[in-house]
Amino acid sequence: MRTRRGLSYPRGAAVNACDTAAGKRTGTTSYKRGKPDFAAGDYLVCRKKNRLISTQKTGETDLFDSLPDDLVISILCKLSSSASCPSDFINVLLTCKRLNGLGLHSLVLSKASPKTFAVKAKNWSDSAHRFLKLFADAGNVEACYTLGMIRFYCLQNRGSGASLMAKAAISSYAPALYSLAVIQFNGSGGSKSDKDLRAGVALCARAAFLGHIDALRELGHCLQDGYGVRQNVTEGRRFLVQANARELAAVLSKPKPGLLTRTWFSWNPHAHPNHRHPTGNGPSGCPLLSDFGCNVPAPESHPASRFMTEWFAIRGGSSGSGLRLCSHTGCGRSETRKHEFRRCSVCGAVNYCSRACQALDWKLRHKEGCAPVERWVDEDGEGGADGDDGGVDGDVDDVMIES
């Protein structure tokens, strides 16, 4: 059946429409204006648009409820591992009761990415603490490390923080191994006699084996200086070369827009008056990439380091009376006792928790502001050690000495 516009009605609908019209004329149907009496399963044709509207009631069963839990958990694992912010994950939990229950499954929480539980220091609260602890209890190594660093340095809960970092280190998480090495080197959370240099070197070696660049650089300096291990200048320098090569490879694999690669390799030996050249046992020649002033972009800080930096910045840049922060802006670690960190032996104006932070800070800013002084005075008015002309590996900033 065709209309004047050339449109065709479906045959079944046309028959029903004719029957309805006939019933209206004869009065055999209870037709009401605007409410045609169609049986279930029939179709109504809209006159203004060529569209069939089903009047059949939808099924009472929900197809989502028929999906197995394993499939839903697998989908939620993919979502939690690719979430860009906590709200992406929380919105899923608020969708329905079933997603709320399956979203809190330990497998989903353990696969979550750091962005899923990223918390800013300015928004820290008990609920944020519980939210982060939820992921740590599920075995998420990133959450264990992040919460461990926050508890150890920010909340000053040394035992709980160290145990969480150890939990992540047992799972071969390299940043946790390196952080525990820094704690052993400095005796953090205890007294000066609690330092365990050999344990720190062993943890650094394990983290370096797993590919942690700062741990490899720290291990190289330890070998060169004989710090916690038998001195081996040649082997230490080889580790420094490897650390800088890995750093350069990491930057080249993820180039940032707006940066010219050719400018990274520019090096001027006379760019800074404090720049010294290798002497003694070290070979001469072009310096070693970032440790020696090439313009390789700084690596991105870990979310835990960014949290601690923001935490202490809100509190005036200090964790307590007389306690200093590591001068490397991407670190965020704080002293746990007075004079825990070592300071630059030339200017005495900066202090570092590790040689790796010293090397990075030298590249970023300190090489331009370090000026030798005959004698520097600490905050308490006590004289410090005389400046030293030596350098870590001949050029990476100045030797750090005990405060």
Side-chain angles (χ1 to χ4, degrees):
M1 179 177 181
R2 288 185 173 272
T3 63
R4 293 180 180 178
R5 296 182 180 180
L7 302 178
S8 300
Y9 289 109
R11 183 174 182 82
V15 172
N16 292 333
C18 293
D19 293 343
T20 304
K24 181 180 179 181
R25 289 193 299 269
T26 58
T28 58
T29 61
S30 58
Y31 177 82
K32 296 182 181 179
R33 186 174 184 180
K35 296 181 180 180
D37 188 13
F38 286 108
D42 294 337
Y43 292 90
L44 174 65
V45 180
C46 181
R47 294 183 178 180
K48 293 185 178 180
K49 296 180 181 179
N50 187 21
R51 181 179 63 182
L52 295 178
I53 304 175
S54 175
T55 59
Q56 183 179 2
K57 296 183 179 179
T58 57
E60 290 77 6
T61 59
D62 190 353
L63 295 179
F64 175 71
D65 293 334
S66 63
L67 294 176
D69 288 349
D70 293 343
L71 179 59
V72 179
I73 289 176
S74 177
I75 296 174
L76 291 175
C77 286
K78 292 290 185 180
L79 184 137
S80 65
S81 62
S82 60
S84 59
C85 60
S87 60
D88 291 345
F89 181 71
I90 294 175
N91 288 336
V92 174
L93 300 182
L94 297 177
T95 303
C96 66
K97 185 176 181 180
R98 188 186 184 197
L99 286 180
N100 189 298
L102 296 179
L104 298 179
H105 192 275
S106 59
L107 184 60
V108 177
L109 298 178
S110 63
K111 299 292 184 180
S113 66
K115 293 182 179 180
T116 305
F117 49 82
V119 180
K120 293 186 178 181
K122 62 181 181 180
N123 299 329
W124 183 257
S125 61
D126 291 339
S127 59
H129 194 169
R130 290 192 299 269
F131 180 70
L132 188 55
K133 186 176 182 296
L134 196 66
F135 292 88
D137 292 341
N140 190 302
V141 291
E142 288 274 3
C144 288
Y145 173 68
T146 302
L147 184 58
M149 292 286 283
I150 293 174
R151 286 184 176 179
F152 190 90
Y153 289 103
C154 300
L155 305 181
Q156 299 182 4
N157 190 345
R158 315 295 184 193
S160 176
S163 64
L164 282 172
M165 283 188 277
K167 182 179 178 180
I170 291 174
S171 301
S172 297
Y173 186 60
L177 288 163
Y178 176 67
S179 293
L180 290 175
V182 173
I183 291 175
Q184 295 295 332
F185 282 137
N186 297 324
S188 301
S191 62
K192 188 176 180 179
S193 60
D194 292 327
K195 293 182 179 181
D196 193 342
L197 304 185
R198 299 188 66 177
V201 171
L203 290 167
C204 262
R206 177 60 179 166
F209 175 77
L210 295 173
H212 197 273
I213 298 175
D214 287 343
L216 184 59
R217 181 177 287 117
E218 185 80 16
L219 186 60
H221 288 308
C222 288
L223 284 168
Q224 282 201 322
D225 302 340
Y227 191 72
V229 68
R230 181 179 296 178
Q231 187 174 19
N232 190 334
V233 177
T234 303
E235 192 71 9
R237 188 172 183 85
R238 185 175 70 87
F239 284 165
L240 289 177
V241 173
Q242 291 181 2
N244 288 282
R246 289 184 183 182
E247 182 183 40
L248 182 61
V251 172
L252 292 176
S253 63
K254 298 179 181 179
K256 296 181 180 180
L259 293 177
L260 298 178
T261 306
R262 60 186 177 184
T263 62
W264 299 349
F265 302 98
S266 61
W267 172 66
N268 183 0
H270 305 291
H272 305 287
N274 297 325
H275 192 89
R276 294 176 298 280
H277 300 276
T279 57
N281 296 330
S284 59
C286 182
L288 302 176
L289 304 181
S290 66
D291 277 345
F292 296 85
C294 283
N295 300 320
V296 178
E300 185 178 359
S301 301
H302 192 276
S305 298
R306 294 197 295 268
F307 180 94
M308 294 190 299
T309 301
E310 183 182 352
W311 176 277
F312 293 120
I314 295 174
R315 286 153 181 80
S318 175
S319 61
S321 177
L323 300 180
R324 303 167 299 184
L325 301 178
C326 180
S327 297
H328 175 42
T329 55
C331 176
R333 291 182 177 87
S334 169
E335 289 182 326
T336 60
R337 67 177 186 278
K338 287 187 177 182
H339 310 304
E340 176 184 335
F341 293 165
R342 292 167 296 175
R343 65 173 66 201
C344 175
S345 64
V346 174
C347 66
V350 292
N351 43 267
Y352 304 102
C353 66
S354 63
R355 288 168 174 78
C357 284
Q358 180 193 19
L360 290 173
D361 191 60
W362 173 260
K363 175 192 71 170
L364 294 175
R365 65 180 186 90
H366 189 52
K367 64 184 177 182
E368 299 180 358
C370 184
V373 294
E374 293 182 359
R375 189 177 182 85
W376 45 262
V377 181
D378 61 16
E379 292 88 342
D380 298 333
E382 299 176 357
D386 293 337
D388 190 351
D389 291 335
V392 178
D393 193 30
D395 245 309
V396 180
D397 205 354
D398 319 294
V399 170
M400 296 189 297
I401 68 170
E402 301 291 344
S403 297

